[in-house]
Structures are given as C-alpha cells and as structure tokens.
C-alpha cells in the first residue's frame, strides 16, 4: 500500500540527482557524486544504490511490536524422511498470531476499554487485562485467569459496559504456546449497547485450572462442561463439572491437539489408512 | 417388568430400589406394583429412544405422582466429533462437515462458518451481491422448513397428527427447492468461503414464485387449525414459562427469547449478508410460554416468505452475475453444473484444465487439494438461526486447515432451560416445553 509511493519517490530522487550531475558536476568522480546523492536522500531514508525491496506479501517482514508466535510449521507436505530434494521439506515458517494493539483501538472499542480500565484502576487490578488485540473488527481482551470472575462480573453489571449475554466458552489448545497451552475463549454481547467483545484466558497444561463463570453467567454451565470434556480444562467453582458429550468413563479429552487419533484398518493385505494427522497433507 | 436390580446401571452406580422396564402395554402392572409401596417418588428415565424427545435426547425425571420435581437432560448420544474432524480438512471441506450438525438448518451452519472464514480472509466486502442474495434466499427458505418441522413435531408430540402431516407436506416443497438449487435435499455444503457453490439453475425463480404463491394459501391453514383451537391452546398456554431474566441468565435466544416480548433478532440488530436491505419485522409475543413460541414461529414464516419474495425479485435482476469472489486464489476453480442425477461435472472446466492450460491444471490442484491459507487469528460471526444465535468460533494458525472451529449451537444452550421450564409441572408438559425449545440433537451434540 504505502510502498509504491516510496519506490516512486526514490526513483524520482535518483533521476533528479542524475540530472544535477549531468548539468553541473560532470567532472567530479562518480564515487563522490554517489556519496553526495546518498547524503541528500537521508531525509527520505531510502538510499539511491538500493531501491526499496519489492514488498509483495512474502517479502513483508513480521509486524512490529510483541508478536505472539506459537510454534512453527516445517516443510510443506507434512511428511519427512522421503527423498524430497525440492528443498521445500526444509521450509520453516513461524505461526504468528495478531499482535496486541495499542490505543486508540477505534470506534466504541475505546469506550469499552476505557470504562473497563477505569473500573479496574478503581479496584487496583490494572494488571487483570494482560493485552488487547483488535483484529478484523473484533476486540479481544486477554485476561489474567485469577481475575476472570471479577472482570466478567464487572463487564456484566457496569452501566457503561452491560455485557449481559454470554454466548458460551470455547476451548483452544495451543500445544506450542509454552505455559499458556490451554485457552478459554468467551464471547460476550451487550444487548443494551449492541456490542460484542471476546475474553480470552490461558492456563498451562501442568495446571489446567480456570475459575468458573457459572455464578456470573449461568448459561456457561453446559459450555464449561463441554470445554472440560473436550480439553480437560477444570473450571474451579463449577457446580457439577462432569462430562457432557462424551461418555462418563471416557479416557482423555478428545479435542486436545495431543489426543491420539485412530486409523482405519482396510481389508486389503493387512493395510490400514493412517490417522489423519499422519497422512500426507499440506500444512 | 419389575426387578430389584438395574441391569442398565453402570458398574459402581447405585442400583438400589425397584427398577421397572417399560416396554409398552404394561402400564397396569407397573401402577399396581407402585401402588403397593408407600413411596410416591419415582425416577423415570425417558429416552434416549423415545418418539417425543426430538431425537436422541435422554430425560431423567423425578416424579411425585404426575408432578415433575426434578428434570435433567442427558445429551451426547449424537456426538460425532464434527469440530475435531474439521481440523483435519481444508477450509472449504469444513463446510461439508458443519452442514451436518443441525440437520434441520444446514444453511445456517454453513453460513456462520463461512462468514467467520471470510472475516479472517478479510474478503467480507468482496462477496458478490448475487452470492449474498442467494445466501439470504436459502437461509430464509431454510427457516421456513425448520419452523415447519418444529410445528409439525411439536404437534405430533401432543397428539395433533394432522399438524404433523401438513407440516411435513410443506417442508417437502422447501426441500424440493433445495434439491433444485443445490442438488441435495439436506447436507448441501452449498455456501462456500467466497460465495456459493454455483449459480441458480434455469427455472428456479419460477419454482420459487410458485412456492411463495402456494405457501400464501397454505400458511393460513395452520393458523385456522391451531391458533384458536381449545385443545391446542389448553396444552400450550402457560406451559414452559421462562421470562426475560431467565432467558438472559441461561443464554436463551431465538423464539424463546422473543416470546418474552424482547425483539432481539441478529438479522436486525447486527445484520450480516445484507439483511439490512430487506423489509421484514421481528416477531415477538408477550406470554413467554409455549403458545407464544408457536405463534412466533408461525408469524416468522410469513416474514421469511416476505424476504424470499424480495430475494426472488432481486435475483431476477442479477442474471449472469458472479456468485463467487473474484480472487482466484480463494474462489473454487470450477462451477459445477447440476445434472438430472444431482451435482455433476463442469465439462467446460475439465476441457480447460485438461486440454488448454497447464497452469489452470496446476492452479486447480493447488486450490482443490491444498486449499487456500487463512491468516492467523480468530473470528466469531453469529447469525440468527431458526433456534437462536448460532455462531462459529473459527481459529486459524495461518494454515490451510481450521486450527479450531467451535460452534455455539442454540439448541445446546437452550436445552439448559429444560429444568426451569418443566420442574413443578406435569410430566406431560415436559414434552410440550421441550418441543417449544425445538432442540435438534445433531446441533446439540455436534
């Protein structure tokens, strides 16, 4: 977007300096000329010898600021140990999630974030909101897990916030997000102000506990049971945290990324279709 | 049959007390043996295979006489791991899975997922108008068919068999339209990231207009049959009461919420797919009971019919317009044609990739087998399904497959109200209360 004018400006500046040299200072050695031209250009920041690099998507560097990189992707086809000599097998690309946003967030996001901040300051809990991510027109508050019930209660009851409706909780397992493997994501709606926000809390695999929000939003009863069922996230304070979809005696939590998947035996020379995560696939 | 041992109790579960297994036509012997004991308290296990529990829903009711003192739901009998399965398929293939969740409103499942993917792709503003109109058309036709089933099965469960037969009769007409447009009666996988799978077939608009004309004659029949019917009203009025505070706390949406008089409809409050361009009213009722929910569904069918009519008018002016986003890195490469046997090949496309352009062939295979990459992030775009707020929480890690797709299904959430709606009432009213929630177990269990 902004790179094209830059390139043009750099090109134009180079043309100008060329014109100058042609007209007046053709006797001076070319090295000196270039040096001076470079000096002239310090204002715009792009050197004459090195035109701005081409800014196609694959050349754009990672966004600045704190980047939440979660794991890396290796190769292209999800297989290793084959005779692939294309070089694509050695490809490593980081998984980068949208970085936290800085104020102003834009629109009503600032009103909500401001009201939330003011209320948290009044109660000495400024650290409760770890970061705010605005991405694709949706705002996400990353909340420290021990403060979740307080923050939720305030979001529900405060007059400026009034997030009286909770759509439910959804678990996400990021096995490579060390120390924050299990995420619980809540979608809240303010019917009064017609707004939607998202709360996200993280818990480590070694201590998969998140405070329950059933006392604030009774609708989360089954949702928290489902998230426990599927991810093993324990919601402390839930009235009866049992499995809801899987059978009571089911071992493991099926939607975790490390849950073993089954293959399918086929009746042909003892063969079998490998589990989906071991099949050849693009990643 | 009466024993002292519960053969269905799991090991370690208590199996004390007398156990009756009801198999039909044995009610006399049961009442007789219950009458012998002084204890009036009976725990009844209803389902999961019971004709009036809307699919495989299990109810555990504690009765005192005929009064329900406690009601609990047992769910999970239809859990198929759709969300997990989607993590191992491409973004486009995900549609094929989620359409099977709430099988009575497949287009809504597809739409909410696709809207989430489109938001992550940042192509929300690039979706062609015709694709949006077709989505609205299909969704509103789907609302008609879904409400028809809700009314039909709800009627059947209280013994009104005619309501059932005429409900399914009309629903079949909607399914015929679906078959004409998408090639399939159910599980369409027709709404795709970037647009819809294909254009309207020739003659579809005429069929839709015929259908609208017919429905305008048929819908009043439901009103004439039920609205003032004393038996119908006697069974439904005041049953399954849940006020606005209860709905808010338990997260209920859809007709149940609107039956409290609160006009919350995402089509109006947070429009998507261009709903702001259509003329329709949000239907409410003020009794907060099963009868109000029935009347809301009936009225909403009229509103849906109005929207379908507007869609048909707009589509008439959009002949030949694109139905898929222009970005060839996202759009499905071929436009399949519907043959007499359903969705068929696209002969033009095959000629192009096999005979004319090597690059087109490569492009086809890259898109079809690998799929497109979706930028990392998460999105949640809820829509107003016939049962309430249906939303897909879509998480991408930048790959060609969903990192996580979670569906907030309204049936799942609304079913939590079973206890509040039926405790303290008669056992026969439990059925009416659940029918007024209209849960679809495919959506509850996913």
């Amino acid at each position: 977007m902004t790179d094209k004018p830059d390139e043009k400006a750099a090109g134009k500046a180079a043309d100008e300096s060329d014109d100058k040299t042609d007209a007046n200072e053709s006797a001076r050695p070319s090295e000196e000329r270039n040096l001076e031209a470079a000096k002239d250009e310090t204002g715009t920041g792009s050197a004459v010898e090195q035109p701005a690099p081409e800014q196609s998507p694959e050349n754009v560097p990672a966004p600045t600021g704190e980047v939440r990189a979660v794991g890396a992707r290796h190769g292209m086809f999800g297989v290793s140990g084959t005779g692939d000599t294309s070089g694509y097998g050695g490809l490593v690309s980081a998984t980068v999630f949208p970085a936290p946003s800085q104020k102003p967030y834009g629109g009503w996001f600032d009103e909500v974030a401001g009201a939330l901040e003011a209320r948290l300051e009044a109660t000495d809990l400024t650290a409760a909101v770890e970061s705010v991510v605005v991405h694709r027109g949706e705002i996400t508050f990353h909340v420290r897990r021990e403060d979740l019930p307080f923050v939720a209660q305030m979001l529900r009851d405060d007059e400026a916030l009034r997030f009286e409706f909770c759509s439910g909780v959804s678990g996400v397992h990021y096995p490579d997000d060390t120390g924050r493997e299990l995420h619980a994501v809540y979608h809240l709606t303010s019917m009064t102000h017609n707004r939607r926000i998202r709360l996200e809390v993280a818990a480590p695999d070694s201590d998969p506990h998140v405070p329950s929000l059933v006392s604030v939003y009774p609708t989360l009863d089954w949702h928290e049971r489902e998230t426990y069922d599927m991810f093993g996230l324990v919601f402390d304070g839930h009235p009866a945290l049992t499995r809801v979809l899987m059978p009571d005696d089911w071992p493991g939590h099926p939607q975790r990324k490390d849950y073993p998947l089954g293959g399918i035996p086929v009746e042909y020379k003892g063969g079998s279709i490998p589990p989906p995560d071991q099949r050849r696939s693009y990643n | 049959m009466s024993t002292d041992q519960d053969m269905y109790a799991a090991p370690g579960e208590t199996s004390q007390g007398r156990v009756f297994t009801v198999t039909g036509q044995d009610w006399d012997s049961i009442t007789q043996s219950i009458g012998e004991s002084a204890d009036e308290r009976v725990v009844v296990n209803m389902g999961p295979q019971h004709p009036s529990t809307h699919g495989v829903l299990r109810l555990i009711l504690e009765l005192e006489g005929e009064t329900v003192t406690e009601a609990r739901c047992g769910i999970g009998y239809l859990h198929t791991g759709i969300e997990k399965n989607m993590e191992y398929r491409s973004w486009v293939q995900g549609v094929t899975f989620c359409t099977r969740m709430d099988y009575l409103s497949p287009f809504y499942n597809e739409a909410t997922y696709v809207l989430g993917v489109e938001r992550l792709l940042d192509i929300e503003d690039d979706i062609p108008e015709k694709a949006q109109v077709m989505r609205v058309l299909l969704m509103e036709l789907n609302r008609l068919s879904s409400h028809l089933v809700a009314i039909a099965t709800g009627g059947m469960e209280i013994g009104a068999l005619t309501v059932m037969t005429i409900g399914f009769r009309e629903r079949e007409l909607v399914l015929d339209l679906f078959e004409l447009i998408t090639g399939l009666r159910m599980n369409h996988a027709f709404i795709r990231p970037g647009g819809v799978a294909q254009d309207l077939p020739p003659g579809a608009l005429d069929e839709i207009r015929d259908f609208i004309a017919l429905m305008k004659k048929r819908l009043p029949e439901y009103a004439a049959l039920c609205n003032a019917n004393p038996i119908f009203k006697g069974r439904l009025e005041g049953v399954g009461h849940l006020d606005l505070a209860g709905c808010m706390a338990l997260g209920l949406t859809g007709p149940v919420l609107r039956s409290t008089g609160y006009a919350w409809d995402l089509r109006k409050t947070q429009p998507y797919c261009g709903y702001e361009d259509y003329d329709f009213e949000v239907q409410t009722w003020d009794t907060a009971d099963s009868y109000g929910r029935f009347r809301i569904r009936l009225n909403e069918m009229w509103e849906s019919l109005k929207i379908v009519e507007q869609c048909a008018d707009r589509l008439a002016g959009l002949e030949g317009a694109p139905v898929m986003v222009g970005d060839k890195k996202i759009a499905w490469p071929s436009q399949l044609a519907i043959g007499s046997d359903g969705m068929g090949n696209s002969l033009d496309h095959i000629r192009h990739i096999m005979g004319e352009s090597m690059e087109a062939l490569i492009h086809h295979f890259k898109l079809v087998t690998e799929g497109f990459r979706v930028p990392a992030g998460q999105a949640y775009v809820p829509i107003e399904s016939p049962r309430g707020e249906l939303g897909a929480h879509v998480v991408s890690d930048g790959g060609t497959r969903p990192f996580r797709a979670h569906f907030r299904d309204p049936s799942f959430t609304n079913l939590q109200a079973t206890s509040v709606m039926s405790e303290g009432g008669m056992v026969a009213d439990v059925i009416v209360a659940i029918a007024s929630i209209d849960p679809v177990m495919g959506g509850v269990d996913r």
Side-chain angles (χ1 to χ4, degrees):
Chain A
M1 303 176 284
T2 53
D3 8 289
K4 275 197 178 154
D6 267 7
E7 249 177 301
K8 261 187 209 160
K12 212 176 156 191
D15 287 349
E16 270 173 23
S17 63
D18 280 354
D19 288 347
K20 250 199 280 176
T21 50
D22 285 349
N24 306 323
E25 296 160 296
S26 49
R28 287 168 67 181
S30 62
E31 274 180 26
E32 236 179 293
R33 258 186 287 154
N34 279 345
L35 269 176
E36 201 169 286
K39 246 186 246 167
D40 286 346
E41 290 306 319
T42 44
T44 56
S46 51
V48 182
E49 300 98 311
Q50 287 181 329
E54 193 236 327
Q55 299 276 297
S56 53
E58 55 268 28
N59 275 348
V60 172
T64 50
E66 193 197 336
V67 170
R68 230 182 89 231
V70 179
R73 190 174 285 125
H74 296 270
M76 260 195 116
F77 305 105
V79 286
S80 58
T82 64
D84 176 20
T85 53
S86 67
Y88 285 111
L91 211 61
V92 181
S93 48
T95 305
V96 181
F97 280 86
S101 314
Q102 304 301 322
K103 276 185 228 173
Y105 306 121
W108 56 263
F109 290 164
D110 288 304
E111 281 172 48
V112 171
L116 183 62
E117 206 173 312
R119 285 300 303 268
L120 287 173
E121 265 168 24
T123 46
D124 275 345
L125 271 174
T126 37
V129 175
E130 291 167 332
S131 63
V132 180
V133 177
V134 177
H135 185 237
R136 300 280 190 257
E138 295 184 10
I139 189 164
T140 310
F141 293 93
H142 289 263
V143 180
R144 209 164 55 177
R145 61 172 163 158
E146 54 266 38
D147 298 325
L148 179 68
F150 179 77
V151 172
Q153 177 99 34
M154 213 173 56
L155 285 168
R156 189 192 71 178
D157 295 340
D158 189 83
E159 216 161 294
L161 299 165
R162 281 268 191 271
F163 287 92
E164 62 275 89
F165 182 83
C166 181
S167 293
V169 55
S170 151
V172 189
H173 186 211
Y174 298 96
D176 296 327
D177 196 359
T178 317
R180 300 164 53 86
E181 285 93 348
L182 290 163
H183 289 229
V185 184
Y186 302 82
H187 291 99
L188 305 183
T189 308
S190 165
M191 289 179 168
T192 312
H193 302 293
N194 201 12
R195 295 167 174 167
R196 261 175 208 285
I197 59 167
R198 180 186 293 126
L199 297 186
E200 193 163 341
V201 287
D205 249 347
S206 52
D207 177 33
H209 288 265
V210 169
S212 168
L213 285 188
V214 173
S215 55
V216 184
Y217 296 110
T219 177
L220 286 174
D221 183 354
W222 284 15
H223 290 275
E224 285 184 356
R225 283 174 66 191
E226 188 192 338
T227 310
Y228 160 72
D229 195 351
M230 294 299 163
F231 291 90
L233 255 181
V234 178
F235 291 90
D236 297 318
H238 188 284
L241 195 67
T242 51
R243 290 184 183 273
V244 68
L245 293 180
M246 303 303 286
D248 289 343
D249 52 355
W250 192 265
H253 301 281
Q255 289 202 351
R256 294 170 55 94
K257 292 283 179 188
D258 53 10
Y259 186 81
L261 301 175
I264 305 154
V266 280
E267 285 186 28
Y268 180 72
K269 297 184 179 174
S272 85
I273 297 172
D277 53 344
Q278 289 162 32
R279 289 177 205 161
R280 179 192 167 101
S281 68
Y282 300 88
N283 54 18
Chain B
M1 191 179 74
S2 155
T3 60
D4 283 324
Q5 273 199 329
D6 186 356
M7 60 179 129
Y8 296 109
E13 240 175 18
T14 173
S15 58
Q16 52 180 248
R18 303 194 67 185
V19 177
F20 301 96
T21 306
V22 185
T23 51
Q25 314 211 340
D26 49 2
W27 196 244
D28 285 344
S29 64
I30 287 163
T31 45
Q32 208 170 18
S33 45
I34 289 177
E36 287 163 8
S37 70
D39 192 9
E40 288 257 311
R41 185 176 152 276
V42 187
V43 178
V44 171
N45 178 50
M46 201 163 143
Q49 303 296 344
H50 190 281
S52 50
T53 50
H54 268 82
V56 281
L57 169 64
R58 177 183 171 206
L59 291 170
I60 303 124
L61 306 173
E62 196 180 290
L63 307 179
E64 232 172 278
E66 273 209 63
T67 308
V68 179
T69 52
E70 273 198 71
R72 293 287 178 273
C73 289
I75 61 169
Y77 294 93
L78 208 55
H79 177 63
T80 44
I82 286 177
E83 291 173 0
K84 180 82 173 176
N85 269 303
M86 287 171 76
E87 292 172 14
Y88 296 96
R89 299 290 186 279
S90 75
W91 288 96
V92 175
Q93 287 171 319
V95 178
T96 323
F97 280 83
C98 67
T99 188
R100 285 162 166 75
M101 293 188 322
D102 181 344
Y103 43 80
L104 291 185
S105 53
F107 287 115
Y108 292 91
N109 303 332
E110 299 169 19
T112 184
Y113 166 73
V114 160
L115 290 174
V117 177
E118 284 168 1
R119 178 166 291 179
L120 280 178
L121 284 166
D122 206 10
I123 56 167
E124 282 178 295
D125 300 330
D126 307 332
I127 310 302
E129 186 194 354
K130 187 166 189 185
Q132 297 283 35
V133 179
M134 281 181 69
R135 285 175 182 182
V136 172
L137 171 86
L138 290 166
M139 281 196 277
E140 291 308 321
L141 282 173
N142 201 171
R143 191 183 308 275
L144 272 163
S145 72
S146 176
H147 279 351
L148 282 167
V149 174
I151 289 172
T153 53
M156 180 187 71
E157 287 162 10
I158 56 171
L161 274 184
T162 314
V163 181
M164 192 270 281
T165 51
I166 61 173
F168 275 100
R169 179 187 68 188
E170 260 79 84
R171 173 184 183 244
E172 205 55 36
L173 300 175
V174 184
L175 296 189
D176 285 347
L177 285 180
F178 288 162
E179 190 176 358
L180 175 69
I181 297 169
T182 72
L184 293 161
R185 296 168 76 245
M186 297 172 85
N187 306 333
H188 315 277
F190 187 73
I191 301 178
R192 305 270 177 89
V196 295
Q198 63 197 13
D199 208 343
L200 276 183
L205 282 182
D206 298 333
E207 294 282 339
I208 292 168
R209 292 228 164 81
D210 291 348
F211 169 76
I212 294 170
L214 187 64
M215 280 308 276
K216 281 185 173 164
K217 250 191 294 181
R218 295 267 175 90
L219 275 184
E221 288 179 14
Y222 292 87
L225 185 59
C226 302
N227 280 2
N229 184 325
I231 304 173
F232 200 77
K233 285 179 84 169
R235 285 301 306 274
L236 264 62
E237 271 183 337
V239 173
H241 187 274
L242 190 66
D243 62 4
L244 181 59
C247 286
M248 286 284 107
L250 289 170
L252 269 78
T253 43
V256 184
L257 176 60
R258 288 191 286 275
S259 72
T260 66
Y262 184 38
W264 178 262
D265 188 320
L266 292 175
R267 292 176 294 171
K268 278 276 189 233
T269 53
Q270 296 167 0
Y272 48 90
C273 289
Y275 264 111
E276 60 272 27
D277 301 335
Y278 297 91
D279 172 38
F280 67 100
E281 304 295 325
V282 177
Q283 295 300 323
T284 59
W285 206 259
D286 57 1
T287 53
D289 62 357
S290 299
Y291 182 71
R293 288 161 210 152
F294 164 76
R295 291 295 293 269
I296 286 178
R297 291 203 173 91
L298 209 52
N299 293 342
E300 276 184 0
M301 289 204 282
W302 279 107
E303 299 301 322
S304 291
L305 212 55
K306 259 163 70 179
I307 300 176
V308 169
E309 209 165 7
Q310 295 167 51
C311 288
D313 291 344
R314 285 180 69 177
L315 284 171
L318 284 169
E319 212 163 312
V323 293
M324 192 42 108
V325 72
D327 188 346
K328 289 293 176 202
K329 293 288 179 195
I330 293 168
W332 196 248
S334 62
Q335 287 287 314
L336 300 183
I338 292 177
S340 54
D341 55 347
M343 186 101 77
N345 283 323
S346 170
L347 295 176
D348 287 341
H349 181 68
I350 291 175
R351 190 173 58 246
H352 182 56
I353 61 172
M354 299 308 284
E356 294 169 5
S357 167
M358 185 67 194
E359 286 70 30
L361 180 67
I362 296 169
H363 182 74
H364 177 102
F365 271 101
K366 283 288 278 182
L367 251 186
V368 174
T369 59
E370 179 180 4
F372 50 78
R373 281 166 202 279
V374 173
Q378 50 186 336
Y380 180 73
V381 189
I383 61 173
E384 187 72 29
S385 93
R387 276 160 276 283
E389 175 179 322
L390 172 70
H393 176 225
V394 184
V395 184
S396 171
D397 66 343
T400 57
R401 303 184 294 202
F403 188 74
R404 164 96 166 114
H406 172 72
F407 287 80
R408 188 264 184 206
D409 194 278
S411 302
F412 179 78
T413 316
N414 294 3
L415 204 54
Q416 293 186 88
T418 306
S419 315
V420 215
M421 281 186 181
S422 46
E423 281 174 11
M426 306 293 270
V427 64
D429 292 342
V430 176
I431 304 300
V432 177
I434 290 177
S436 80
I437 296 175
D438 185 28
V440 175
M441 298 316 288
V444 174
D445 296 339
R446 283 155 289 142

